[in-house]
Amino acid sequence: MSQKHDAIIIGTGQAGPGLARRVSAAGMSVAIVERDLFGGTCVNTGCIPTKALVASAHAAHLARRAADFGVSLGGSVSVDMSKVKSRKDAISEKSRTGVESGLRKLKNCTVYQGHARFVSKHAITVGDQTLEADRIFINVGGRAATPPMPGLDRVPFLTNSSIMSLDTVPPHLIIVGGSYVGLEFGQMFRRFGSEVTIVEMGPRLLPREDEEVSAAILDILQQEQIEVRLNATCVSLSAEGGRVGAQVDCASGSPSEIGTHLLLAVGRRPNTDDLGLDAAGVAIDERGYIVVDDQLRTSTPGIFALGDCNGKGAFTHTAYNDFEIVAANLLDGDSRRVSDRITAYALYIDPPLGRAGLTESEARSRGHDVLVGKRPMSRVGRAIEKGETNGLMKIVVDARSREILGAAILGTGGDEAIHCVLDAMYAKAPYPVLQRAMHIHPTVAEFIPTLLGELSSTP
Ligand SMILES: Cc1cc2nc3c(=O)[nH]c(=O)nc-3n(C[C@H](O)[C@H](O)[C@H](O)COP(=O)(O)OP(=O)(O)OC[C@H]3O[C@@H](n4cnc5c(N)ncnc54)[C@H](O)[C@@H]3O)c2cc1C
């Protein structure tokens, strides 16, 4: 016997629960299916636990620097990793149980636990149950990619999920992958007391960022004695008597690194490989991402894909925005689109990088006539007062339209201050509107009008 609902949602990540609330409030019956932990990646192995760990790492870092602020601690600073882990677990658990209990209490909503698989365009199975609906929303997220790397089958390795179970500090952590996830873990474990080596295949960290931003991030990591090996074009791994070896084909430096633990941070892959998408006629691209249009409709009418599994974003806020777009189109008669949104994200090393819109190099390669305003954080009063002068602020403007094209704030408070640029971009305000705004002193954001008053066309 199959259970009929008005809607089925597969996955309780960052889009599914919000959508379940809207659909049930509209009086429709909804089934939501979760195969693992409620709340998905962000809540259990992504944003929330990592930012809790970053906070502990920041406390350790600040404690070690206490004397810089005239504070004496009367002893050396040590990190109790099991307490760090317990704090992180408690924060994640609160969020996870909140998601689960919210869904279980929701009127018109039935929660199913198990792996969902399509058997036709309108039906899925969960264990021995079959569920049917005219509308099915896929919110299955992704997981750490483990690409075939020579020797990987012979060494133990961690991913962003399994590293969450560590309750001791690894003596020497080797991280393969110098992108957003690898850098956050690298700096936090260095601050917990690990020796850290980051191995990156490319010639610089974070190749999507402007070169000066990549260089400033490298400098921040190196100041904390994190070893960064670039140009590691052919990494291979080996077991070295209870330790792990990474052979690194770098332009300079030792050809191999020996560590106690290995973290793979080489990208993500969508959870679409065991979903029965063929049975539903839902098309995927060559990397397994579900193909969707600007309103998140898949190739099969009535089936939508939201969040990381559609390849249109890789963040909690993009997944949540996907839910808002689908709900607006289906329930509010409001034709919101993915292409309406502006790129925005943060990298939570310390100090953080807040990003909005285009980088300078993207703007130039798209043919914009570019004006740029820049300032090192060493010339930002708030940063000087806090003793955190690493990084830079940068804003990019189109000289002809006077619209703001993008910004990067790598510095204390950068993850928050970037929003005043982002909001001006959404408002399509010409830059003098933001330039004339009176901002609060002393803040990082007070320098955004200043940058806009110092724009230059010289690269
Ligand atoms: C280490 C790390 C740090 C991050 N930090 C940030 C950050 O600071 N800020 C930010 O915005 N983003 C961050 N992200 C990214 C963010 O976590 C994801 O973009 C976000 O969780 C995606 O949400 P989602 O709803 O698409 O999928 P997910 O959150 O992955 O949820 C998908 C859910 O679907 C379930 N599921 C999958 N397949 C099935 C199936 N067949 N049947 C039933 N259930 C299924 C899964 O169990 C999971 O619960 C981070 C990611 C990582 C890995």
Side-chain angles (χ1 to χ4, degrees):
M1 254 285 277
S2 71
Q3 310 283 322
K4 189 110 179 71
H5 296 271
D6 294 319
I8 296 170
I9 299 170
I10 307 174
T12 65
Q14 295 305 309
L19 190 61
R21 285 192 291 276
R22 282 296 317 273
V23 170
S24 78
M28 293 183 236
S29 73
V30 56
I32 188 159
V33 191
E34 176 53 58
R35 70 175 179 186
D36 192 8
L37 298 174
F38 285 80
T41 307
C42 180
V43 166
N44 299 291
T45 58
C47 343
I48 291 179
T50 54
K51 268 77 257 182
L53 293 172
V54 164
S56 290
H58 182 248
H61 181 67
L62 210 53
R64 286 189 196 104
R65 292 190 54 210
D68 296 352
F69 300 88
V71 175
S72 43
L73 296 179
S76 65
V77 174
S78 63
V79 171
D80 183 337
M81 195 62 204
S82 70
K83 287 194 179 144
V84 167
K85 178 179 177 294
S86 302
R87 175 182 183 273
K88 176 266 292 175
D89 288 345
I91 293 169
S92 269
E93 189 188 350
K94 195 163 180 222
S95 184
R96 179 171 58 250
T97 51
V99 172
E100 179 172 359
S101 66
L103 288 170
R104 292 200 187 276
K105 282 187 214 141
L106 199 60
K107 209 172 141 203
N108 303 325
C109 179
T110 312
V111 175
Y112 293 84
Q113 279 186 273
H115 183 98
R117 227 174 252 110
F118 281 92
V119 286
S120 73
K121 289 181 180 2
H122 298 296
I124 62 163
T125 55
V126 183
D128 53 10
Q129 290 178 293
T130 303
L131 314 182
E132 282 179 62
D134 289 339
R135 286 197 175 128
I136 303 183
F137 303 94
I138 308 170
N139 176 217
V140 292
R143 61 186 186 274
T146 52
M149 216 173 257
L152 189 60
D153 52 341
R154 292 193 292 279
V155 294
F157 64 88
L158 298 160
T159 64
N160 70 286
S161 300
S162 53
I163 203 169
M164 291 296 155
S165 308
L166 283 188
D167 59 4
T168 55
V169 176
H172 184 173
L173 179 64
I174 296 180
I175 300 176
V176 177
S179 201
Y180 303 84
V181 169
L183 300 190
E184 289 183 10
F185 280 115
Q187 190 189 45
M188 83 173 71
F189 275 96
R190 178 69 193 133
R191 290 177 171 195
F192 293 149
S194 299
E195 202 181 317
V196 171
T197 305
I198 297 175
V199 177
E200 165 55 41
M201 293 181 178
R204 64 183 172 98
L205 299 173
L206 308 179
R208 264 184 282 164
E209 307 303 336
D210 280 332
E211 276 188 39
E212 67 205 310
V213 172
S214 288
I217 289 170
L218 178 64
D219 184 43
I220 288 165
L221 299 177
Q222 287 178 335
Q223 280 176 34
E224 296 187 35
Q225 288 78 48
I226 293 170
E227 193 185 1
V228 180
R229 303 291 307 271
L230 300 172
N231 299 303
T233 44
C234 68
V235 179
S236 64
L237 304 155
S238 57
E240 303 286 336
R243 294 164 78 91
V244 56
Q247 284 67 48
V248 186
D249 178 17
C250 291
S252 62
S254 157
S256 64
E257 297 284 344
I258 310 279
T260 54
H261 293 69
L262 171 70
L263 169 67
L264 268 200
V266 286
R268 310 271 303 159
R269 57 176 293 196
N271 290 326
T272 53
D273 42 343
D274 187 17
L275 201 51
L277 290 174
D278 282 352
V282 172
I284 55 174
D285 70 13
E286 65 288 350
R287 294 186 307 146
Y289 288 97
I290 297 173
V291 178
V292 288
D293 67 10
D294 211 15
Q295 290 168 323
L296 303 167
R297 293 174 289 215
T298 70
S299 53
T300 299
I303 303 182
F304 299 75
L306 301 84
D308 283 12
C309 68
N310 66 27
K312 298 254 178 204
F315 298 100
T316 281
H317 44 275
T318 48
Y320 193 82
N321 187 247
D322 283 0
F323 137 60
E324 292 180 320
I325 290 167
V326 167
N329 279 282
L330 290 182
L331 303 171
D332 304 335
D334 179 356
S335 58
R336 289 178 66 175
R337 288 164 189 277
V338 177
S339 52
D340 294 337
R341 71 187 177 212
I342 296 168
T343 301
Y345 56 89
L347 163 69
Y348 291 93
I349 58 163
D350 173 38
L353 168 69
R355 280 272 298 108
L358 302 180
T359 63
E360 180 184 352
S361 66
E362 280 169 341
R364 289 191 190 282
S365 65
R366 290 186 193 189
H368 288 281
D369 191 357
V370 163
L371 295 174
V372 178
K374 264 191 245 185
R375 174 169 285 248
M377 294 305 284
S378 56
R379 288 181 56 221
V380 172
R382 184 76 176 131
I384 295 167
E385 292 142 16
K386 292 171 82 178
E388 297 179 12
T389 51
N390 276 322
L392 64 122
M393 304 172 70
K394 177 169 181 180
I395 195 158
V396 182
V397 165
D398 183 284
R400 270 168 278 187
S401 69
R402 306 205 300 171
E403 270 189 33
I404 300 168
L405 299 172
I409 305 180
L410 172 65
T412 181
D415 52 331
E416 300 288 349
I418 195 72
H419 286 91
C420 65
V421 180
L422 189 60
D423 292 344
M425 291 174 71
Y426 272 110
K428 296 195 186 312
Y431 79 82
V433 172
L434 186 50
Q435 186 191 350
R436 287 171 199 179
M438 182 186 75
H439 283 190
I440 295 165
H441 172 77
T443 57
V444 171
E446 75 177 315
F447 279 92
I448 291 167
T450 312
L451 290 188
L452 290 168
E454 297 171 352
L455 294 173
S456 159
S457 56
T458 326

